[in-house]
Amino acid sequence: MTAGWFITFEGGEGSGKSTQAKRLADRLTAAGHDVTVTREPGGSPFAERLRAIILDPNLEKHSPLAEALLFASARADHLEQVIRPALAAGHVVICDRFSDSTRVYQGYAGRVEPRLLEALELIIVQQTKPDLTIVVDIPAEIGLARAALRLNAPAAQAPSERTAKQPRSLLADRFESRGLDFHKKLREGFLEIARLEPQRCVIVDGQRSPDDVAREVWAAVESRLFTEAR
Ligand code: TYD
């Protein structure tokens, strides 16, 4: 068992989860917690290098399995270098995407054998499973429209969001550019995980205002984590 709390945010494109991850971090920090905010793919220097490769739209077509192994490699380093040390130091670790994204993007909606992904998750994540996963749910059409807006009008983004992310162009042709059916499948996949693991996952409706979503996220954190004795 770890000393801190591990919270992950998951969801499809344009769900607003990155904004919510940041807002939660700010609120926890204001409440006196030590907070580490991180993301996947990436989060450690080595994993960020892998991220640039994984999301590079200019790379020629490559095998989904090879790509899944890169996600796994990035995660192994991120866990070892950042997540486990922060948890051991008592931090609340907030991670923007984690292993549910692999299950959904590479497994449920992708073409990699789910049993292989399960085995990788067991080996890599081990005991460092999220204490709480917030699934920010949004219809695929709306999420894609939001993501397209973000791509086409970066100046309209909140500055905090701009600085927290890689250039959006890195991503546009890798996952965001997949068709509507792919994105509908992503949504189904995240909802399915939340249904199967209700003790870990909370679904919040990402269509409401950012303030409303943030309130619901906070309520989940308070009721699921801070009332539990450790
Ligand atoms: P990111 O810029 O973080 O996008 P988002 O704002 O949607 O989180 O890019 C991460 C992309 O990588 C995103 O399209 C989801 C995908 N991904 C996977 O396919 N598998 C994974 O295991 C992870 C962590 C991300």
Side-chain angles (χ1 to χ4, degrees):
M1 185 170 280
T2 51
W5 296 106
F6 186 20
I7 302 173
T8 57
F9 278 81
E10 299 278 7
E13 312 292 333
S15 62
K17 66 182 170 37
S18 306
T19 304
Q20 292 301 327
K22 187 174 180 314
R23 287 184 68 150
L24 176 61
D26 290 347
R27 187 149 183 191
L28 286 167
T29 303
H33 295 276
D34 291 321
V35 180
T36 294
V37 187
T38 187
R39 67 165 178 191
E40 288 209 348
S44 64
F46 178 74
E48 288 289 331
R49 293 285 288 274
L50 291 180
R51 175 188 173 97
I53 296 169
I54 294 169
L55 300 182
D56 184 350
N58 301 314
L59 276 184
E60 62 277 9
K61 231 172 162 352
H62 48 281
S63 113
L65 174 60
E67 183 175 76
L69 293 172
L70 284 184
F71 276 114
S73 173
R75 180 160 303 134
D77 190 68
H78 185 210
L79 277 160
E80 195 173 311
Q81 300 295 326
V82 175
I83 297 176
R84 290 194 186 109
L87 290 172
H91 285 214
V92 181
V93 175
I94 299 177
C95 192
D96 186 351
R97 294 198 183 282
F98 191 62
S99 48
D100 295 320
S101 282
T102 305
R103 291 190 199 175
V104 169
Y105 278 78
Q106 279 65 55
Y108 197 87
R111 286 191 284 134
V112 183
E113 171 59 52
R115 275 176 309 170
L116 176 88
L117 297 176
E118 268 169 43
L120 281 172
E121 188 178 317
L122 265 180
I123 292 163
I124 291 163
V125 175
Q126 299 167 29
Q127 299 307 309
T128 320
K129 298 187 185 88
D131 296 295
L132 174 66
T133 294
I134 311 274
V135 174
V136 185
D137 178 52
I138 191 163
E141 293 86 344
I142 295 177
L144 278 178
R146 280 190 188 172
L149 262 182
R150 211 164 47 178
L151 276 170
N152 296 332
Q157 274 176 243
S160 58
E161 199 175 339
R162 270 207 305 281
T163 50
K165 294 194 145 273
Q166 292 280 81
R168 300 298 310 179
S169 56
L170 266 184
L171 180 58
D173 294 331
R174 297 289 301 115
F175 295 101
E176 282 182 341
S177 62
R178 303 284 299 267
L180 183 60
D181 284 350
F182 178 78
H183 291 277
K184 284 185 169 166
K185 203 114 196 33
L186 295 178
R187 184 185 190 200
E188 268 174 34
F190 284 119
L191 292 177
E192 178 71 5
I193 290 173
R195 264 193 298 272
L196 291 172
E197 295 186 54
Q199 71 292 354
R200 170 172 70 88
C201 302
V202 171
I203 300 168
V204 303
D205 178 359
Q207 285 190 80
R208 292 172 314 147
S209 75
D211 283 350
D212 285 345
V213 178
R215 259 191 294 277
E216 206 177 318
V217 168
W218 184 252
V221 169
E222 275 196 315
S223 67
R224 298 281 185 121
L225 299 186
F226 295 146
T227 55
E228 271 177 36
R230 275 235 152 157

